[in-house]
Amino acid sequence: MDRALELAAGGPAHGPNPRVGAVLLAPDGRTLGEGRHEGAGTPHAEAAAVATARAAGEDLRGATAVVTLEPCAHTGRTSPCAALLIEHGIARVVHAVDDPNPAAAGGGAALRAAGVDVVGGVREDAGEALLRVWLHAVRTGRPFVTLKLATTLDGRVAAADGSSRWITSDEARAHAHALRGEVDAIAVGTGTVLADDPALTARTADGDLAAHQPLRVVVGSTPVPDGARLRGPGGPLVVEPTRDLAAVLARLAEREVRHLLVEGGPTLAAAFLRVGLVDEVHAYLAPVLLGAGPAAVADLGIASIDDAFRLRPRSLRVLGPDVLLVADVRHPLDDRPAPHDQAAPQHQPVPQHQPVPHHQRTPHEES
């Protein structure tokens, strides 16, 4: 299972499908074949492993399939993996995580009905951690939302004159571009578009456009200027002229967006936080002091420290002179454990949505 998880982690993080790895073992423990899912429209991990084994002339009758996610029982872009394993005489299937997708679930039951020995929950915590974004999107029906902040030590995203390039270092910006390459969509407010004219592209270390470009989402009623960089090379542009963030996420889910990165500005960040629609924060912190200038997050309506948003740090990383803190968000009205602390999170209803103020023209550091 460790090897299957390693294979899965090498697959693309973006896209509507989960990252899955599979290893086929002979009765004596010898590896017959391996595979992983390379994205929508490509063979699933089980099919890739079977193809590898067959190409090597291996007999799969009586073999064990070790898979990070329960084999699917759904015919979509590809055929059901459960049926494929049955067809090739697999005797035992071991998986880490049950498939929560109602359109694809039932593979374990189909395998058992065919006489296959099925064991679930092996390295389940590791499987849940690997698939946390995809699992959240499937279980809740909305994209997993990461809020990105890039600030000075005193929480500023720009100086008093509006200048913001560059607060963070080359290393931090390179990491942020790598993150963009892993998400399905990036969102900013219209104020950031007007003040900063961002391109919202994912770029390689050489400055070239990455192979995968996320959807570029602008939230707000102010039109995107005809000459804006958002209309240039990069991912498709989607304009959401609304203050209803739940509706925005619902429409993105219809586009098969599983992971949304919210990049700016302070008003949009506060709006997502106020309605409980942020799942994690990536905070790039530079050892810089300004003493004045716009804060990273606008007014949240919090009057007491008791009502503060409490984050649960998950990792801390040094990037050149800067520090990246990755933390799970706990909403003041939400007492559920953080997703990585449990095998099958029980998601509570999102608090009542509040109107989102007009977006400020606050510069955003990352373009």
Side-chain angles (χ1 to χ4, degrees):
M1 185 60 77
D2 286 340
R3 175 57 181 160
L5 289 164
E6 181 183 7
L7 289 166
H14 57 81
N17 291 357
R19 291 189 286 181
V20 182
V23 178
L24 301 178
L25 301 175
D28 63 2
R30 181 171 54 91
T31 297
L32 302 174
E34 298 180 342
R36 69 168 168 239
H37 185 46
E38 297 289 355
T42 66
H44 287 189
E46 299 92 324
V50 167
T52 300
R54 293 296 302 274
E58 299 287 3
D59 183 1
L60 298 180
R61 288 175 296 180
T64 294
V66 181
V67 193
T68 55
L69 183 66
E70 176 188 3
C72 68
H74 169 64
T75 301
R77 294 183 177 97
T78 60
S79 301
C81 292
L84 177 70
L85 297 177
I86 294 169
E87 174 189 343
H88 285 86
I90 300 297
R92 189 167 187 250
V93 172
V94 177
H95 67 266
V97 179
D98 292 341
D99 194 335
N101 188 349
L111 289 163
R112 291 187 181 93
V116 178
D117 180 27
V118 179
V119 179
V122 176
R123 296 300 311 278
E124 185 176 20
D125 288 349
E128 288 268 343
L130 176 69
L131 292 173
R132 65 191 303 266
V133 168
W134 182 83
L135 289 170
H136 175 279
V138 171
R139 288 167 176 164
T140 66
R142 70 160 177 86
F144 184 93
V145 176
T146 296
L147 172 62
K148 179 213 158 187
L149 305 172
T151 74
T152 63
L153 194 61
D154 51 349
R156 310 294 178 175
V157 293
D161 65 356
S163 60
S164 62
R165 297 180 181 175
W166 297 106
I167 288 176
T168 56
S169 63
D170 291 342
E171 294 89 340
R173 294 196 299 276
H175 186 276
H177 274 282
L179 175 62
R180 285 181 176 183
E182 294 181 352
V183 303
D184 302 307
I186 305 175
V188 296
T190 52
T192 294
V193 174
L194 296 175
D196 233 19
D197 190 23
L200 299 185
T201 54
R203 296 189 174 273
T204 66
D206 296 330
D208 300 324
L209 288 176
H212 165 68
Q213 290 297 317
L215 204 68
R216 297 180 286 186
V217 182
V218 177
V219 181
S221 57
T222 303
V224 176
D226 291 339
R229 290 203 295 162
L230 284 172
R231 298 192 182 279
L237 174 62
V238 175
V239 178
E240 290 285 351
T242 179
R243 299 180 184 183
D244 188 343
L245 298 181
V248 172
L249 293 185
R251 284 190 284 272
L252 291 178
E254 291 173 356
R255 291 174 173 266
E256 296 189 309
V257 169
R258 305 296 195 198
H259 194 177
L260 173 66
L261 178 63
V262 176
E263 285 213 359
T267 301
L268 189 64
F272 269 93
L273 286 165
R274 278 202 311 272
V275 294
L277 292 176
V278 176
D279 301 297
E280 73 174 6
V281 171
H282 282 224
Y284 297 86
L285 185 64
V288 175
L289 296 171
L290 286 174
V297 178
D299 184 12
L300 292 172
I302 295 174
S304 170
I305 192 67
D306 294 335
D307 297 327
F309 283 82
R310 296 293 179 177
L311 308 185
R312 286 188 172 183
R314 211 168 66 244
S315 67
L316 193 64
R317 179 174 177 180
V318 176
L319 297 169
D322 305 323
V323 174
L324 169 62
L325 171 67
V326 178
D328 294 310
V329 175
R330 290 198 61 188
H331 192 274
L333 302 180
D334 183 4
D335 291 327
R336 67 183 177 218
H340 72 286
D341 288 340
Q342 53 184 355
Q346 299 298 312
H347 297 279
Q348 302 296 324
V350 172
Q352 182 65 37
H353 300 290
Q354 306 171 19
V356 179
H358 290 293
H359 300 285
Q360 301 171 341
R361 295 191 177 189
T362 303
H364 182 265
E365 185 198 357
E366 191 69 66
S367 63

